[in-house]
Amino acid sequence: MTANILYVDDEPHNLSAFAATFRRLYKVFTAESADEGRKILDNENIQVVITDQRMPKTTGVEFLASILENHPDPIRMILTGYTDIDAVIDAINKGQVYRYIQKPWMEEDLRINIDKAIEIYTLRKENRELTEKLLVANQQLEFIARQNLLS
């Protein structure tokens, strides 16, 4: 299965460079704004969300924090050309960001981080599914145990 990656950045040339670099490895969705990004998240099964930090209207951290309630599962990363320790702290605390990566990004480094994010997404999903199966099996065992006690 090819992973779906959403990259949000207000600079079109960054979006096209990202798409051109990674389109053979992943299904890449791009958005020029947080609103556009939300629409894609509402309509696609996205595993990894990458966003620029400095955008007009909404910062990357604000965008990631805003999607947590409706889209808690995608792994979140921030790409930025600026080093702002407050933004890093906000990203971790408010946006639950997996990685904070400096621009300009190195292709191999970013690919490795995306692959690790996909692995975490997959492991979390499998964990949820196994937990659900375990709960059902436990309920069935409790039912059988009650039936045995009654007979």
Side-chain angles (χ1 to χ4, degrees):
M1 176 188 110
T2 303
N4 293 338
I5 311 297
L6 169 61
Y7 179 42
V8 182
D9 194 320
D10 62 309
E11 297 179 42
H13 69 275
N14 287 344
L15 295 173
S16 55
F18 183 90
T21 302
F22 294 109
R23 72 176 184 268
R24 288 184 183 87
L25 299 170
Y26 319 107
K27 186 168 182 185
V28 175
F29 296 85
T30 59
E32 285 188 42
S33 69
D35 289 338
E36 240 182 85
R38 280 188 208 90
K39 286 177 188 160
I40 291 169
L41 284 164
D42 289 341
N43 295 306
E44 301 293 338
N45 181 24
I46 301 293
Q47 285 82 43
V48 180
V49 176
I50 302 169
T51 182
D52 184 29
Q53 170 59 9
R54 297 224 177 155
M55 298 184 288
K57 296 186 186 172
T58 308
T59 68
V61 170
E62 290 168 343
F63 167 64
L64 294 176
S66 77
I67 65 171
L68 276 173
E69 186 175 339
N70 293 330
H71 305 285
D73 297 331
I75 306 301
R76 293 162 295 283
M77 301 189 335
I78 288 187
L79 276 177
T80 187
Y82 303 92
T83 305
D84 177 355
I85 194 65
D86 291 331
V88 173
I89 293 166
D90 275 352
I92 294 164
N93 294 337
K94 295 178 184 167
Q96 296 181 15
V97 171
Y98 166 69
R99 286 282 186 263
Y100 194 94
I101 298 169
Q102 288 289 125
K103 282 182 183 177
W105 40 267
M106 305 301 289
E107 182 178 335
E108 183 67 8
D109 182 48
L110 186 52
R111 185 195 57 76
I112 289 168
N113 279 296
I114 292 171
D115 287 346
K116 286 180 182 176
I118 293 165
E119 186 178 338
I120 289 169
Y121 176 91
T122 303
L123 289 171
R124 286 180 181 172
K125 183 178 179 208
E126 289 171 359
N127 191 13
R128 271 192 313 278
E129 290 168 358
L130 288 171
T131 300
E132 288 171 15
K133 287 179 184 176
L134 186 59
L135 288 171
V136 169
N138 193 33
Q139 289 170 345
Q140 291 169 340
L141 284 172
E142 286 176 3
F143 177 77
I144 292 167
R146 280 194 303 275
Q147 294 301 313
N148 289 337
L149 285 173
L150 294 173
S151 53

